[in-house]
Amino acid sequence: MDTFNIKDMLASYDTKDLRIATVCSHSSLQIFNGAKKEGFKTLGISVGERKKYYDAFPLGKPDEFFIVDDYKDIVTYAKELRDDNVIIIPHGSFVEYLGPKNFLKLPLPTFGNRNVLMWESDRTKEREWLEGAGLTMPEEIKDPHTINKPVIVKYHGAKGGKGFFIAKTYGEFVKRVDMKKPYTIQEFVLGTRYYLHYFYSPIRKNAYELSKGSLQLLSMDRRDETTIDEVQRLGSIAELEEVGIHPTFVVTGNIPIVLRESLLPEVFNMGAAVVEKSLSLFGGIIGSFCLETVVTEDLTFKVFEISARIVAGTNPYVAGSPYAELIQPDLSTGRRIAQEIKYAAENKLLEEILT
Ligand code: AMP
């Protein structure tokens, strides 16, 4: 199929017999678990062999595995997967393993709006979107000579914070920077980090109401990043840097967290503004997204990133979170995605939530 039309792709689908599929990594246990709870069949796409560790988690194990030699080969099996009524739930690793170009071309019904990728992966466009929505982002330092406060240097496309570093002066910056790679310099925001997990439904009006559809807050986490989060066991960062030990920002896990309740209205203001802006910029984000924030000492949010699909920070909440529990007991993000697909299938609205 050369066309990339969701209507055409869905034309041959038996919408009463959909199968939810994703790549066996990242948040797949939760996605399969949530899909099973909503009565879907599931398919785990895996490289080389079926992942044995799923046997240890029967409730998170896909009903069947689909083995490929390389994730990029998924494209060549698209017809076979469509014949099996497969709907793809993309997560961060899915997009990374496939490569953004292949992901955008993948002729399979995919949960969410794939157009969001160009707005999220290009830091200039991301800033246009988030600042355009009225959110406050960390200041961007265009000229490294002007560094006069702590900054974080981020390489473009670096996954999981790899290679990021902190500098407090121009001298520290030049000592560490790799000029061969494109980078961005951002003010290092002092405060506490909250990664907010939203769910936006363009087709349901049963939560925080927006101009189209409604918004939920399902959970939040704090990422555990090595070595920055524990390096102080050895000494202060300044002391360690003097002997050439530099903290790194590689994500290794996620910690559940809740926020001061008085900050929740602002959480919804921000989420709502991001969705409304996305509707005017590119037809709207769909489903799960995460705002990565720092709350400063004057209790304001600075948003340094958006992830426009299910994030691994939702994994602590397979059986619900302190927020999701107030929507429906036992509601994970994976389950919420399955519910959205189920509702859309029953109401002939699949084209509204798949691309
Ligand atoms: P990112 O890849 O943008 O999510 O950044 C990786 C990690 O670096 C984050 O999870 C934060 O711990 C940290 N970080 C990123 N940007 C900032 C910032 N502007 N101020 C403070 N910490 C940041």
Side-chain angles (χ1 to χ4, degrees), residues 123 138 152 154 158 160-161 164 186-189 193 195 223 225 249 292 294 304-305:
R123 287 199 189 273
I152 179 165
K154 302 180 175 189
F164 289 12
Q186 250 182 28
E187 157 199 16
F188 188 93
V189 183
R193 290 169 298 132
Y195 299 71
R223 287 189 191 155
E225 294 169 330
F249 293 85
E292 304 178 15
V294 177
F304 56 87
E305 193 95 83

PDB file of all heavy atoms in Angstrom, residues 123 138 152 154 158 160-161 164 186-189 193 195 223 225 249 292 294 304-305, ligand 1:
ATOM      1  N   ARG A 123      13.940  21.093  18.117  1.00  0.00           N
ATOM      2  CA  ARG A 123      13.859  21.924  19.327  1.00  0.00           C
ATOM      3  C   ARG A 123      13.285  23.325  19.058  1.00  0.00           C
ATOM      4  O   ARG A 123      12.671  23.921  19.928  1.00  0.00           O
ATOM      5  CB  ARG A 123      15.234  22.037  19.997  1.00  0.00           C
ATOM      6  CG  ARG A 123      15.630  20.751  20.685  1.00  0.00           C
ATOM      7  CD  ARG A 123      16.725  20.941  21.712  1.00  0.00           C
ATOM      8  NE  ARG A 123      17.197  19.635  22.165  1.00  0.00           N
ATOM      9  CZ  ARG A 123      16.655  18.953  23.165  1.00  0.00           C
ATOM     10  NH1 ARG A 123      15.641  19.428  23.839  1.00  0.00           N
ATOM     11  NH2 ARG A 123      17.147  17.772  23.509  1.00  0.00           N
ATOM     12  N   PRO A 138      12.815  26.886  29.909  1.00  0.00           N
ATOM     13  CA  PRO A 138      14.110  27.411  30.337  1.00  0.00           C
ATOM     14  C   PRO A 138      14.672  28.324  29.252  1.00  0.00           C
ATOM     15  O   PRO A 138      14.480  28.054  28.067  1.00  0.00           O
ATOM     16  CB  PRO A 138      14.980  26.159  30.489  1.00  0.00           C
ATOM     17  CG  PRO A 138      14.039  25.007  30.527  1.00  0.00           C
ATOM     18  CD  PRO A 138      12.810  25.420  29.783  1.00  0.00           C
ATOM     19  N   ILE A 152      22.654  23.731  30.976  1.00  0.00           N
ATOM     20  CA  ILE A 152      22.762  22.324  30.569  1.00  0.00           C
ATOM     21  C   ILE A 152      22.913  22.319  29.056  1.00  0.00           C
ATOM     22  O   ILE A 152      22.186  23.023  28.350  1.00  0.00           O
ATOM     23  CB  ILE A 152      21.571  21.478  31.073  1.00  0.00           C
ATOM     24  CG1 ILE A 152      21.690  20.026  30.611  1.00  0.00           C
ATOM     25  CG2 ILE A 152      20.226  22.059  30.687  1.00  0.00           C
ATOM     26  CD1 ILE A 152      20.769  19.051  31.365  1.00  0.00           C
ATOM     27  N   LYS A 154      22.697  20.280  25.648  1.00  0.00           N
ATOM     28  CA  LYS A 154      21.987  19.098  25.151  1.00  0.00           C
ATOM     29  C   LYS A 154      22.334  18.890  23.688  1.00  0.00           C
ATOM     30  O   LYS A 154      22.181  19.798  22.883  1.00  0.00           O
ATOM     31  CB  LYS A 154      20.464  19.300  25.251  1.00  0.00           C
ATOM     32  CG  LYS A 154      19.957  19.592  26.642  1.00  0.00           C
ATOM     33  CD  LYS A 154      18.447  19.772  26.606  1.00  0.00           C
ATOM     34  CE  LYS A 154      17.917  19.931  28.005  1.00  0.00           C
ATOM     35  NZ  LYS A 154      16.452  19.886  28.052  1.00  0.00           N
ATOM     36  N   ALA A 158      19.906  13.303  21.137  1.00  0.00           N
ATOM     37  CA  ALA A 158      20.535  12.391  22.105  1.00  0.00           C
ATOM     38  C   ALA A 158      19.439  11.713  22.918  1.00  0.00           C
ATOM     39  O   ALA A 158      18.548  12.366  23.441  1.00  0.00           O
ATOM     40  CB  ALA A 158      21.467  13.161  23.023  1.00  0.00           C
ATOM     41  N   GLY A 160      17.775   9.674  25.954  1.00  0.00           N
ATOM     42  CA  GLY A 160      17.949   9.441  27.386  1.00  0.00           C
ATOM     43  C   GLY A 160      18.996  10.329  28.030  1.00  0.00           C
ATOM     44  O   GLY A 160      19.663   9.934  28.978  1.00  0.00           O
ATOM     45  N   GLY A 161      19.141  11.556  27.510  1.00  0.00           N
ATOM     46  CA  GLY A 161      20.056  12.499  28.155  1.00  0.00           C
ATOM     47  C   GLY A 161      21.531  12.181  27.950  1.00  0.00           C
ATOM     48  O   GLY A 161      22.407  12.723  28.631  1.00  0.00           O
ATOM     49  N   PHE A 164      24.723  14.812  27.713  1.00  0.00           N
ATOM     50  CA  PHE A 164      24.392  16.138  28.248  1.00  0.00           C
ATOM     51  C   PHE A 164      25.394  16.502  29.344  1.00  0.00           C
ATOM     52  O   PHE A 164      25.865  15.636  30.065  1.00  0.00           O
ATOM     53  CB  PHE A 164      23.002  16.137  28.893  1.00  0.00           C
ATOM     54  CG  PHE A 164      21.865  16.028  27.915  1.00  0.00           C
ATOM     55  CD1 PHE A 164      22.057  15.693  26.591  1.00  0.00           C
ATOM     56  CD2 PHE A 164      20.561  16.278  28.345  1.00  0.00           C
ATOM     57  CE1 PHE A 164      20.992  15.583  25.699  1.00  0.00           C
ATOM     58  CE2 PHE A 164      19.488  16.168  27.460  1.00  0.00           C
ATOM     59  CZ  PHE A 164      19.713  15.821  26.146  1.00  0.00           C
ATOM     60  N   GLN A 186      20.797  25.445  27.409  1.00  0.00           N
ATOM     61  CA  GLN A 186      19.613  25.875  28.158  1.00  0.00           C
ATOM     62  C   GLN A 186      20.028  26.256  29.563  1.00  0.00           C
ATOM     63  O   GLN A 186      20.897  25.619  30.139  1.00  0.00           O
ATOM     64  CB  GLN A 186      18.644  24.690  28.291  1.00  0.00           C
ATOM     65  CG  GLN A 186      17.407  24.813  27.493  1.00  0.00           C
ATOM     66  CD  GLN A 186      16.468  23.613  27.709  1.00  0.00           C
ATOM     67  OE1 GLN A 186      16.464  22.973  28.751  1.00  0.00           O
ATOM     68  NE2 GLN A 186      15.676  23.347  26.714  1.00  0.00           N
ATOM     69  N   GLU A 187      19.374  27.270  30.090  1.00  0.00           N
ATOM     70  CA  GLU A 187      19.482  27.579  31.514  1.00  0.00           C
ATOM     71  C   GLU A 187      19.221  26.287  32.307  1.00  0.00           C
ATOM     72  O   GLU A 187      18.287  25.551  31.978  1.00  0.00           O
ATOM     73  CB  GLU A 187      18.408  28.626  31.814  1.00  0.00           C
ATOM     74  CG  GLU A 187      17.951  28.732  33.218  1.00  0.00           C
ATOM     75  CD  GLU A 187      16.590  29.429  33.345  1.00  0.00           C
ATOM     76  OE1 GLU A 187      15.852  29.563  32.344  1.00  0.00           O
ATOM     77  OE2 GLU A 187      16.274  29.828  34.459  1.00  0.00           O
ATOM     78  N   PHE A 188      20.055  25.960  33.292  1.00  0.00           N
ATOM     79  CA  PHE A 188      19.791  24.807  34.157  1.00  0.00           C
ATOM     80  C   PHE A 188      18.834  25.281  35.248  1.00  0.00           C
ATOM     81  O   PHE A 188      19.186  26.088  36.095  1.00  0.00           O
ATOM     82  CB  PHE A 188      21.081  24.264  34.777  1.00  0.00           C
ATOM     83  CG  PHE A 188      20.869  22.971  35.526  1.00  0.00           C
ATOM     84  CD1 PHE A 188      21.044  21.750  34.901  1.00  0.00           C
ATOM     85  CD2 PHE A 188      20.475  22.979  36.864  1.00  0.00           C
ATOM     86  CE1 PHE A 188      20.818  20.551  35.581  1.00  0.00           C
ATOM     87  CE2 PHE A 188      20.245  21.793  37.548  1.00  0.00           C
ATOM     88  CZ  PHE A 188      20.409  20.582  36.907  1.00  0.00           C
ATOM     89  N   VAL A 189      17.606  24.810  35.198  1.00  0.00           N
ATOM     90  CA  VAL A 189      16.586  25.312  36.117  1.00  0.00           C
ATOM     91  C   VAL A 189      16.728  24.609  37.469  1.00  0.00           C
ATOM     92  O   VAL A 189      16.714  23.376  37.532  1.00  0.00           O
ATOM     93  CB  VAL A 189      15.164  25.072  35.554  1.00  0.00           C
ATOM     94  CG1 VAL A 189      14.129  25.670  36.499  1.00  0.00           C
ATOM     95  CG2 VAL A 189      15.029  25.673  34.171  1.00  0.00           C
ATOM     96  N   ARG A 193      11.841  18.191  39.912  1.00  0.00           N
ATOM     97  CA  ARG A 193      11.333  17.743  38.616  1.00  0.00           C
ATOM     98  C   ARG A 193      10.036  16.942  38.764  1.00  0.00           C
ATOM     99  O   ARG A 193       9.935  16.093  39.658  1.00  0.00           O
ATOM    100  CB  ARG A 193      12.394  16.872  37.918  1.00  0.00           C
ATOM    101  CG  ARG A 193      13.607  17.645  37.442  1.00  0.00           C
ATOM    102  CD  ARG A 193      14.716  16.713  37.016  1.00  0.00           C
ATOM    103  NE  ARG A 193      15.172  15.887  38.135  1.00  0.00           N
ATOM    104  CZ  ARG A 193      15.340  14.570  38.078  1.00  0.00           C
ATOM    105  NH1 ARG A 193      15.103  13.910  36.971  1.00  0.00           N
ATOM    106  NH2 ARG A 193      15.743  13.907  39.139  1.00  0.00           N
ATOM    107  N   TYR A 195       7.341  14.919  36.010  1.00  0.00           N
ATOM    108  CA  TYR A 195       7.056  14.511  34.632  1.00  0.00           C
ATOM    109  C   TYR A 195       5.583  14.137  34.615  1.00  0.00           C
ATOM    110  O   TYR A 195       5.172  13.121  35.190  1.00  0.00           O
ATOM    111  CB  TYR A 195       7.959  13.333  34.237  1.00  0.00           C
ATOM    112  CG  TYR A 195       9.441  13.687  34.302  1.00  0.00           C
ATOM    113  CD1 TYR A 195      10.082  13.883  35.527  1.00  0.00           C
ATOM    114  CD2 TYR A 195      10.202  13.853  33.154  1.00  0.00           C
ATOM    115  CE1 TYR A 195      11.428  14.228  35.595  1.00  0.00           C
ATOM    116  CE2 TYR A 195      11.548  14.192  33.215  1.00  0.00           C
ATOM    117  CZ  TYR A 195      12.155  14.380  34.441  1.00  0.00           C
ATOM    118  OH  TYR A 195      13.486  14.720  34.507  1.00  0.00           O
ATOM    119  N   ARG A 223      12.112  10.976  36.954  1.00  0.00           N
ATOM    120  CA  ARG A 223      13.087  10.053  36.380  1.00  0.00           C
ATOM    121  C   ARG A 223      14.275   9.897  37.302  1.00  0.00           C
ATOM    122  O   ARG A 223      14.689  10.851  37.962  1.00  0.00           O
ATOM    123  CB  ARG A 223      13.566  10.580  35.038  1.00  0.00           C
ATOM    124  CG  ARG A 223      12.517  10.427  34.014  1.00  0.00           C
ATOM    125  CD  ARG A 223      13.048  10.733  32.643  1.00  0.00           C
ATOM    126  NE  ARG A 223      11.896  10.805  31.757  1.00  0.00           N
ATOM    127  CZ  ARG A 223      11.871  11.483  30.638  1.00  0.00           C
ATOM    128  NH1 ARG A 223      12.938  12.139  30.240  1.00  0.00           N
ATOM    129  NH2 ARG A 223      10.796  11.488  29.898  1.00  0.00           N
ATOM    130  N   GLU A 225      18.064   9.352  37.169  1.00  0.00           N
ATOM    131  CA  GLU A 225      19.087   9.523  36.143  1.00  0.00           C
ATOM    132  C   GLU A 225      20.478   9.297  36.731  1.00  0.00           C
ATOM    133  O   GLU A 225      20.848   9.885  37.738  1.00  0.00           O
ATOM    134  CB  GLU A 225      18.959  10.924  35.533  1.00  0.00           C
ATOM    135  CG  GLU A 225      17.638  11.057  34.765  1.00  0.00           C
ATOM    136  CD  GLU A 225      17.260  12.455  34.327  1.00  0.00           C
ATOM    137  OE1 GLU A 225      17.637  13.429  35.007  1.00  0.00           O
ATOM    138  OE2 GLU A 225      16.559  12.585  33.317  1.00  0.00           O
ATOM    139  N   PHE A 249      23.291  12.176  32.648  1.00  0.00           N
ATOM    140  CA  PHE A 249      21.813  12.246  32.773  1.00  0.00           C
ATOM    141  C   PHE A 249      21.132  11.070  32.084  1.00  0.00           C
ATOM    142  O   PHE A 249      20.143  11.240  31.405  1.00  0.00           O
ATOM    143  CB  PHE A 249      21.314  13.555  32.146  1.00  0.00           C
ATOM    144  CG  PHE A 249      21.750  14.780  32.887  1.00  0.00           C
ATOM    145  CD1 PHE A 249      22.984  15.360  32.638  1.00  0.00           C
ATOM    146  CD2 PHE A 249      20.933  15.341  33.852  1.00  0.00           C
ATOM    147  CE1 PHE A 249      23.399  16.490  33.324  1.00  0.00           C
ATOM    148  CE2 PHE A 249      21.337  16.468  34.546  1.00  0.00           C
ATOM    149  CZ  PHE A 249      22.574  17.038  34.281  1.00  0.00           C
ATOM    150  N   GLU A 292       7.598  17.564  30.697  1.00  0.00           N
ATOM    151  CA  GLU A 292       8.725  17.387  31.608  1.00  0.00           C
ATOM    152  C   GLU A 292       9.015  18.747  32.225  1.00  0.00           C
ATOM    153  O   GLU A 292       9.343  19.694  31.506  1.00  0.00           O
ATOM    154  CB  GLU A 292       9.922  16.848  30.839  1.00  0.00           C
ATOM    155  CG  GLU A 292       9.576  15.559  30.122  1.00  0.00           C
ATOM    156  CD  GLU A 292      10.721  14.996  29.296  1.00  0.00           C
ATOM    157  OE1 GLU A 292      11.871  15.428  29.482  1.00  0.00           O
ATOM    158  OE2 GLU A 292      10.448  14.127  28.462  1.00  0.00           O
ATOM    159  N   VAL A 294      10.175  21.470  35.693  1.00  0.00           N
ATOM    160  CA  VAL A 294      10.847  21.738  36.970  1.00  0.00           C
ATOM    161  C   VAL A 294       9.990  22.768  37.693  1.00  0.00           C
ATOM    162  O   VAL A 294       9.572  23.763  37.090  1.00  0.00           O
ATOM    163  CB  VAL A 294      12.261  22.313  36.750  1.00  0.00           C
ATOM    164  CG1 VAL A 294      12.915  22.663  38.087  1.00  0.00           C
ATOM    165  CG2 VAL A 294      13.144  21.345  35.978  1.00  0.00           C
ATOM    166  N   PHE A 304      10.706  21.808  30.176  1.00  0.00           N
ATOM    167  CA  PHE A 304      11.888  21.710  29.313  1.00  0.00           C
ATOM    168  C   PHE A 304      11.711  20.741  28.154  1.00  0.00           C
ATOM    169  O   PHE A 304      12.550  20.673  27.276  1.00  0.00           O
ATOM    170  CB  PHE A 304      13.167  21.401  30.112  1.00  0.00           C
ATOM    171  CG  PHE A 304      13.117  20.167  30.965  1.00  0.00           C
ATOM    172  CD1 PHE A 304      13.451  18.935  30.423  1.00  0.00           C
ATOM    173  CD2 PHE A 304      12.760  20.244  32.294  1.00  0.00           C
ATOM    174  CE1 PHE A 304      13.422  17.794  31.199  1.00  0.00           C
ATOM    175  CE2 PHE A 304      12.718  19.102  33.083  1.00  0.00           C
ATOM    176  CZ  PHE A 304      13.039  17.878  32.541  1.00  0.00           C
ATOM    177  N   GLU A 305      10.620  20.002  28.126  1.00  0.00           N
ATOM    178  CA  GLU A 305      10.451  19.013  27.050  1.00  0.00           C
ATOM    179  C   GLU A 305       9.017  18.513  27.012  1.00  0.00           C
ATOM    180  O   GLU A 305       8.333  18.500  28.025  1.00  0.00           O
ATOM    181  CB  GLU A 305      11.373  17.830  27.360  1.00  0.00           C
ATOM    182  CG  GLU A 305      11.581  16.843  26.243  1.00  0.00           C
ATOM    183  CD  GLU A 305      12.827  17.110  25.431  1.00  0.00           C
ATOM    184  OE1 GLU A 305      13.919  16.686  25.841  1.00  0.00           O
ATOM    185  OE2 GLU A 305      12.682  17.761  24.384  1.00  0.00           O
TER     186      GLU A 305
HETATM  187  P1  AMP B   1      15.796  15.794  28.361  1.00  0.00           P
HETATM  188  O1  AMP B   1      16.461  14.843  27.396  1.00  0.00           O
HETATM  189  O2  AMP B   1      15.567  17.152  27.785  1.00  0.00           O
HETATM  190  O3  AMP B   1      14.564  15.158  28.951  1.00  0.00           O
HETATM  191  O4  AMP B   1      16.802  16.015  29.584  1.00  0.00           O
HETATM  192  C1  AMP B   1      17.390  14.947  30.311  1.00  0.00           C
HETATM  193  C2  AMP B   1      17.451  15.324  31.772  1.00  0.00           C
HETATM  194  O5  AMP B   1      18.245  16.478  31.980  1.00  0.00           O
HETATM  195  C3  AMP B   1      16.099  15.668  32.381  1.00  0.00           C
HETATM  196  O6  AMP B   1      15.362  14.539  32.751  1.00  0.00           O
HETATM  197  C4  AMP B   1      16.476  16.537  33.557  1.00  0.00           C
HETATM  198  O7  AMP B   1      16.915  15.797  34.670  1.00  0.00           O
HETATM  199  C5  AMP B   1      17.673  17.278  33.020  1.00  0.00           C
HETATM  200  N1  AMP B   1      17.297  18.589  32.426  1.00  0.00           N
HETATM  201  C6  AMP B   1      16.965  18.814  31.152  1.00  0.00           C
HETATM  202  N2  AMP B   1      16.755  20.123  30.911  1.00  0.00           N
HETATM  203  C7  AMP B   1      16.937  20.740  32.093  1.00  0.00           C
HETATM  204  C8  AMP B   1      16.898  22.103  32.503  1.00  0.00           C
HETATM  205  N3  AMP B   1      16.658  23.089  31.639  1.00  0.00           N
HETATM  206  N4  AMP B   1      17.161  22.400  33.803  1.00  0.00           N
HETATM  207  C9  AMP B   1      17.454  21.409  34.676  1.00  0.00           C
HETATM  208  N5  AMP B   1      17.533  20.100  34.345  1.00  0.00           N
HETATM  209  C10 AMP B   1      17.284  19.771  33.070  1.00  0.00           C
END
